[in-house]
């Protein structure tokens, strides 16, 4: 199983935001952004902050891909 955050990156483009904007507005760290970029898991608290910032649901920014 792989976690994909491709939808997050697409949503950022649609909202004309970059990763630094997301970090600042969502109140998350560069470490979280790096983990997202590598497709690694992050805490639900971080996902909540991102969803709240982007006004979306968790399914809008991530998905599980099964082999």
């Amino acid at each position: 199983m792989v976690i994909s955050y491709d939808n997050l990156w697409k949503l950022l483009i649609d909202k004309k935001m970059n990763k630094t904007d997301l970090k600042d507005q969502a109140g998350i760290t560069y470490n979280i952004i790096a983990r997202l970029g590598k497709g690694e898991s992050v805490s639900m608290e971080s996902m909540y902050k991102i969803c709240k910032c982007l006004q979306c649901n968790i399914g809008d920014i991530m998905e599980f891909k099964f082999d």
Side-chain angles (χ1 to χ4, degrees):
M1 176 184 70
V2 177
I3 301 171
S4 172
Y5 299 104
D6 291 345
N7 293 338
L8 170 60
W9 311 129
K10 291 175 188 172
L11 187 57
L12 287 180
I13 291 168
D14 291 344
K15 292 186 178 271
K16 296 180 176 22
M17 293 177 68
N18 60 37
K19 293 176 182 179
T20 303
D21 295 333
L22 177 64
K23 179 194 82 66
D24 294 339
Q25 293 178 27
I28 57 176
T29 64
Y30 281 118
N31 185 43
I32 298 299
I33 297 292
R35 291 178 65 86
L36 293 168
K38 295 176 187 173
E40 297 177 358
S41 61
V42 297
S43 71
M44 286 302 294
E45 180 180 0
S46 296
M47 295 305 294
Y48 170 76
K49 289 178 181 180
I50 293 168
C51 288
K52 185 176 176 185
C53 171
L54 299 175
Q55 299 178 347
C56 65
N57 289 313
I58 196 165
D60 297 331
I61 59 173
M62 69 166 287
E63 66 181 338
F64 296 108
K65 294 190 176 182
F66 299 95
D67 296 357

